[in-house]
Amino acid sequence: CDTLNPQLYYLQGVIAEEMGKPGDAAAALQRALYIDQEFAVGHFALGHLLHRQGNYAKAEKHLAKARSLLQGYGRDEIPPEGEGINAARLIELIDAILSSKGREDKE
């Protein structure tokens, strides 16, 4: 097993989240980012997970990092583990997630 492959930990995180284990998902995603701090989709996934858990400060940090990294890609380029979603669309998703925090605070 290649323990220094961030994509493996990312996949573990995605699977754990699908299984309803957000703590395990967050831990796996954090391991992926420990190995590769420039893993844009890993930052996106962890930020999105943290946001759904209400941990907005940490979520914003990871989403901002993902956004910054994604800006280094071409608009139509699909980042590693992007699952067919191009950089421009991921940035739109990040912006929507970040703006939703403000709406939730007002409700």
Side-chain angles (χ1 to χ4, degrees):
C1 182
D2 185 2
T3 59
L4 293 179
N5 183 336
Q7 283 84 7
L8 292 177
Y9 290 112
Y10 169 79
L11 185 57
Q12 281 182 339
V14 170
I15 291 169
E17 189 173 0
E18 292 283 326
M19 295 175 67
K21 298 178 180 179
D24 292 347
L29 292 168
Q30 287 169 339
R31 282 192 292 276
L33 295 172
Y34 180 78
I35 295 166
D36 182 2
Q37 287 110 27
E38 306 297 301
F39 185 16
V41 175
H43 282 287
F44 171 79
L46 183 55
H48 192 218
L49 174 64
L50 292 168
H51 187 272
R52 286 194 314 274
Q53 293 177 329
N55 192 338
Y56 299 120
K58 284 186 179 179
E60 190 170 332
K61 176 184 148 206
H62 286 286
L63 292 169
K65 177 70 174 179
R67 191 179 202 293
S68 173
L69 291 168
L70 288 164
Q71 288 175 328
Y73 288 88
R75 290 184 50 76
D76 295 327
E77 192 174 352
I78 298 171
E81 303 304 318
E83 299 178 30
I85 303 173
N86 67 31
R89 180 65 182 135
L90 283 168
I91 290 170
E92 289 173 8
L93 291 170
I94 290 167
D95 291 344
I97 293 166
L98 291 173
S99 69
S100 73
K101 188 225 180 255
R103 290 194 303 269
E104 290 165 7
D105 288 346
K106 293 175 187 169
E107 291 178 5

